[in-house]
């Protein structure tokens, strides 16, 4: 049976209505994995005709979370967090190498914060990872990657700080 966007929305709302913290977010993470493994879901929202780097599929009025389709080109991202919110990265096609970072020095004014590499790991198709508020991470993609993401709030409306690897 196909997993639909409407079913995912309903399931995410139910999970976050029950618990907006750890348990609810991990339930949403599992729902993202389910969507990433559903071939019909992936072809509908991330098929070969989709070239958009970021497309909001749904933004919830009550809880504020967004479900997005991402088509990410090969790139190496800088360390970042999601400011006052959380995000779940789900891989529908391709592999993303993620790196977790430890903050050695917070940003000051316009100066970026300094971070130290903690660990790197791969996210292959069908895996989703939750990054809570303040979790510093970066991504590296050797090839195009298609993702389903859920953001606790629309990140286009959130101010975030810059970080760079410490010397």
């Amino acid at each position: 049976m196909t997993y639909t966007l409407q079913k995912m929305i309903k399931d995410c709302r139910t999970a976050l209505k029950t618990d907006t913290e750890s348990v609810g977010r991990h339930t949403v993470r599992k729902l993202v994995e389910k969507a990433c493994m559903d071939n019909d879901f992936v072809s509908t929202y991330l098929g070969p005709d989709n070239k958009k780097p970021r497309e909001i599929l749904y933004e919830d009025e009550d809880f504020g979370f967004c479900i997005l389709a991402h088509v990410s080109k090969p790139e190496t991202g800088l360390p970042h967090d999601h400011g006052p919110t959380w995000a779940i990265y789900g891989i529908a096609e391709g592999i993303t190498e993620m790196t977790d970072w430890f903050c050695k020095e917070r940003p000051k004014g316009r100066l970026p914060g300094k971070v130290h590499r903690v660990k790197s790991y791969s996210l292959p198709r069908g895996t989703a990872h939750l990054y809570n508020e303040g979790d510093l991470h970066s991504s590296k993609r050797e090839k195009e990657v298609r993702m389903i993401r859920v953001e606790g709030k629309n990140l286009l409306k959130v101010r975030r700080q810059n970080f760079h690897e410490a010397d």
Side-chain angles (χ1 to χ4, degrees), residues 11 29 48-49 62 64 69 83 97 99 101 117 125 136 146 152 166:
D11 292 347
R29 182 188 60 77
D49 292 338
D62 298 323
E97 180 182 320
T99 300
W101 300 87
R117 184 183 311 258
R125 179 176 190 230
L136 291 164
R146 293 174 181 264

Side-chain angles (χ1 to χ4, degrees), residues 12-167:
C12 288
R13 287 182 52 80
T14 299
L16 295 172
K17 186 175 183 179
T18 302
D19 178 36
T20 59
E21 298 296 324
S22 182
V23 173
R25 294 175 187 183
H26 280 286
T27 300
V28 172
R29 182 188 60 77
K30 291 176 188 174
L31 298 171
V32 171
E33 288 181 340
K34 182 177 180 177
C36 287
M37 292 303 291
D38 187 290
N39 292 332
D40 290 335
F41 191 102
V42 171
S43 68
T44 298
Y45 299 104
L46 291 164
D49 292 338
N50 185 344
K51 306 291 185 205
K52 297 176 187 174
R54 176 187 169 89
E55 179 181 9
I56 296 176
L57 303 176
Y58 173 78
E59 187 166 358
D60 193 85
E61 292 179 12
D62 298 323
F63 294 100
F65 72 90
C66 298
I67 299 173
L68 301 99
H70 277 276
V71 178
S72 299
K73 301 295 180 198
E75 68 178 346
T76 299
L78 294 174
H80 66 280
D81 64 13
H82 298 117
T85 193
W86 52 273
I88 297 169
Y89 292 46
I91 309 302
E93 185 179 303
I95 298 173
T96 297
E97 180 182 320
M98 300 300 295
T99 300
D100 290 345
W101 300 87
F102 173 76
C103 185
K104 293 178 79 173
E105 187 177 312
R106 299 293 311 162
K108 294 177 185 164
R110 294 187 182 268
L111 294 174
K114 297 189 184 218
V115 294
H116 172 71
R117 184 183 311 258
V118 175
K119 69 177 180 176
S120 294
Y121 48 95
S122 291
L123 296 180
R125 179 176 190 230
T127 59
H129 193 89
L130 167 64
Y131 296 95
N132 284 305
E133 298 87 343
D135 288 350
L136 291 164
H137 57 283
S138 63
S139 58
K140 180 179 177 182
R141 298 174 191 92
E142 300 285 333
K143 297 180 180 178
E144 181 180 88
V145 173
R146 293 174 181 264
M147 299 187 299
I148 299 293
R149 268 182 43 152
V150 176
E151 299 170 350
K153 295 178 186 172
N154 184 341
L155 287 173
L156 293 179
K157 301 174 184 176
V158 172
R159 183 170 181 211
R160 299 187 283 168
Q161 299 176 314
N162 294 317
F163 295 88
H164 291 286
E165 188 168 10
D167 299 328

